[in-house]
Each structure stands twice: as structure tokens, then as C-alpha cells.
Amino acid sequence: EVQLLESGGGLVQPGGSLRLSCAASGFSFSTYAMSWVRQAPGKGLDWVSTFSGSSDSTYYADSVKGRFTISRDNSKNTLYLQMNSLRVEDTAVYYCAKKGGGYGENFDYWGQGTLVTVSS
Amino acid sequence: EIVMTQSPATLSVSPGERATLSCRASESVSSNLAWYQQKPGQSPRLLIYGASTRATGIPARLSGSGSGTEYTLTISSLQSEDFAVYYCQQYNNWPLTFGGGTKVEIK
């Protein structure tokens, strides 16, 4: 059974940093692209970043480029998101998601999410 | 960036009726289009990818169609578990983008 378990969320002041983790199990982690998708309270889904499975390619939304860094440790089956220079508008539930079927980045499994609140 | 526009924002439907949800892309996404369902307090669930391929475990009453810039999710006979918010997502180009969602509510 595929499981994705996020952790590391919490309350942080504007300008602060957090590192999110996503522990994966039940599939061959190293062979799949993994992503972070966020959802602000009461709002829709917003893609944040993707780390490819077949190479070291990374992709970012413009809104987080230069502030967030995605990484993965295939030996630990864990995906990370280092978030620096946090802004109030980064407040959201952050989900990690596994690449689904077919070509390209759709998401067939999602974690339960971890809440990041940026507030003074 | 490809903008995804979903309509309507809210759809009121009686159980057993048919629901048709629309998703329009600002440029062609070449059927690289997925649909997700999200219920309150839950994570999104993949329903459809490749515009028309049902994900594992998704019942046949849900179907996807479309091409180019216009896509549709159809629920042929709404069941109680289908009342939720539905999002489309394009994965043809970076950045990946989602539509704003359609809420399917009980009429």
C-alpha cells in the first residue's frame, strides 16, 4: 500500500524558515517523480515544486522560486521542501504527491498534508 | 503559464441525475489533463488522467472526454459520495496548473 506521510509544518513568522518532509512507502520511491502541492485555507490547489524521478531535474512555481528548495533522499525514501523567506501568502496545507500514470505529472497518491502558518 | 478555467463554480444536482463539469485551458494541453475529487478535510483523489483514462478503482459512472483546450468530466448518475469539489489540472507544460474547482452540491 502506498503511503505518504508529511511532517514539519507549524507556525512561523514572516521571513522565517521551515523544512517539510514526506516519508514514502509501498512503492519504488527512487523511480517516481515527487511533488509538493499546497492549498491555502478555503482555496484551490496550487502546484509548488517537482523533483523528477529519472534525473535530478527540479521545477518550481514562480511564486516560490529562489525561496524554496525541493530535494529527495532515495536511501531514506523521503522528499523534502526547504522553505526560506516565508511570506504570509505561503500559509497553506502542503501535500506531497506521487507521479501517477501515463506521460507527465499527474498525481495518483497524496499525503494527508501538513499545515504551514506564516504569521506574526 | 496555462490558465485553467472551470465552470460552473457550483453545480446543484439531485442524486441520480447527470453532472457535467467543464474545464477550459488557455492553450492546448494535448490531453495531458487530470481530474481530482476533494471532499472536506480530505486530500485530493485522482479520478482521470490523460483526459479520459480512469484511475485505479474509479467507477465507470465517471468519465472524462475532450481534447485541445476543452475538457469535460461527466458523472452519469450522481451518488451521495460524489458530492465534493472537483479540480482539473494540466501537465502538458511547466508550471503545472489547476483550475479553480467546481463544487458539486446536493440540490
Side-chain angles (χ1 to χ4, degrees):
Chain A
E1 178 192 6
V2 172
Q3 290 193 337
L4 301 171
L5 184 61
E6 301 96 337
S7 60
L11 174 63
V12 61
Q13 292 187 338
S17 297
L18 276 179
R19 188 176 84 152
L20 306 184
S21 299
C22 171
S25 61
F27 65 102
S28 181
F29 178 76
S30 64
T31 64
Y32 285 89
M34 296 293 296
S35 298
W36 292 97
V37 178
R38 67 186 179 183
Q39 187 170 36
K43 302 297 184 182
L45 301 171
D46 182 32
W47 169 76
V48 173
S49 183
T50 296
F51 198 118
S52 69
S54 57
S55 68
D56 286 339
S57 298
T58 58
Y59 305 87
Y60 296 94
D62 284 347
S63 59
V64 307
K65 201 172 294 182
R67 300 188 299 123
F68 291 10
T69 302
I70 191 171
S71 61
R72 63 193 297 166
D73 184 337
N74 290 336
S75 69
K76 296 182 178 180
N77 288 353
T78 302
L79 179 74
Y80 302 100
L81 186 67
Q82 177 67 44
M83 304 187 295
N84 298 331
S85 302
L86 281 160
R87 304 168 179 169
V88 170
E89 55 265 35
D90 295 319
T91 294
V93 173
Y94 284 73
Y95 297 101
C96 74
K98 170 188 167 290
K99 180 195 179 313
Y103 163 83
E105 306 307 321
N106 61 80
F107 310 118
D108 62 353
Y109 287 93
W110 299 62
Q112 87 290 347
T114 187
L115 177 62
V116 172
T117 303
V118 185
S119 174
S120 55
Chain B
E1 166 176 324
I2 297 177
V3 177
M4 307 300 291
T5 302
Q6 291 187 243
S7 61
T10 303
L11 188 60
S12 298
V13 187
S14 298
E17 288 188 340
R18 182 186 189 93
T20 303
L21 288 66
S22 295
C23 176
R24 173 177 292 176
S26 60
E27 62 186 82
S28 175
V29 297
S30 301
S31 295
N32 293 310
L33 189 286
W35 289 94
Y36 301 87
Q37 177 194 68
Q38 188 178 32
K39 297 179 180 179
Q42 296 186 15
S43 305
R45 178 172 72 143
L46 178 66
L47 303 174
I48 301 284
Y49 64 94
S52 61
T53 301
R54 275 186 293 275
T56 303
I58 301 304
R61 67 177 184 276
L62 278 76
S63 62
S65 62
S67 62
T69 63
E70 302 284 343
Y71 298 87
T72 299
L73 176 69
T74 302
I75 309 173
S76 60
S77 176
L78 272 157
Q79 307 296 304
S80 58
E81 61 265 32
D82 298 328
F83 293 97
V85 179
Y86 292 82
Y87 296 97
C88 62
Q89 176 228 340
Q90 70 80 21
Y91 49 94
N92 194 58
N93 286 9
W94 302 99
L96 310 179
T97 49
F98 290 88
T102 290
K103 181 180 181 180
V104 178
E105 64 177 24
I106 300 174
K107 186 175 182 180

